[in-house]
Every structure is written in C-alpha cells, then in structure tokens.
Amino acid sequence: MIDFVFFVLNGILSFAVWVIIISAILSWLVAFNVINTRNPGVYRFMEMLDRLTYPILEPFRRVIPNLGGIDISPIIAILIIQGMQRFLLPMARASLYGLTGM
C-alpha cells in the first residue's frame, strides 16, 4: 500500500513537471507569434495550462526578482520538484517503512 501511494505521488510530480515544460514552451511560441491565441482551442488550452501551473509557479514568482522579462520560476520549480522526487520521496518511504515495521 505504501509503494502505491508513493507511485501515485511520483506520478503527480512527474505530471506537474511536464505541464510546466509544455506551458513554458507554448508561452514562447505565443511570444514569437508562432501560435495565435485568437484561436479558441489554443486559448482554452493555454488557459487550462495557466490554471494548472499558477499554484505551482506563483510562490516562486513572488520570491524570485524580475529579470527583465525573463521568468526563471519554471526552471526553479522543476528543479525543486525533481529534488523532491529523487531525495524526499525515497526518504519518506523509508521512514514510513520504519514506522510500520515493514
């Protein structure tokens, strides 16, 4: 049961990383006029990505200073999420195994 919970948590964190990457790439494509947000489908997709990434990126945007139009909060968020996946989740799993005696 513990392995399943950590499998799901790892999947959620991986999904968050991919959503951040896709959102960043699409924002660059919109900025360079490769994709037009006047298309209703593109606009809805971009809006969905913004709603998914806003709660993740906003705390970083409040802390990281403005770098003249360059937003590095996705990079920092991805680094922290991957650190959680590689270091914190295995430590938490080992701690739970120790607490449950498995």
Side-chain angles (χ1 to χ4, degrees), residues 5-102:
V5 170
F6 282 98
F7 175 77
V8 171
L9 286 174
N10 192 33
I12 290 170
L13 291 174
S14 294
F15 177 75
V17 167
W18 281 108
V19 168
I20 292 170
I21 291 170
I22 292 168
S23 177
I25 290 172
L26 284 178
S27 70
W28 296 337
L29 293 176
V30 168
F32 292 118
N33 288 326
V34 175
I35 294 177
N36 190 354
T37 57
R38 285 185 239 148
N39 182 338
V42 171
Y43 178 78
R44 275 189 251 124
F45 188 69
M46 291 290 294
E47 182 70 23
M48 178 195 66
L49 288 176
D50 285 341
R51 289 181 186 204
L52 287 173
T53 58
Y54 181 80
I56 299 169
L57 297 178
E58 185 58 28
F60 298 107
R61 288 180 178 148
R62 278 187 264 145
V63 174
I64 299 171
N66 188 0
L67 299 175
I70 298 173
D71 185 15
I72 63 168
S73 61
I75 296 168
I76 304 298
I78 289 171
L79 286 174
I80 289 176
I81 290 171
Q82 287 185 342
M84 290 170 57
Q85 284 180 304
R86 292 188 185 172
F87 300 110
L88 295 181
L89 284 181
M91 286 175 25
R93 179 186 294 164
S95 297
L96 274 176
Y97 278 143
L99 288 174
T100 58
M102 295 178 112

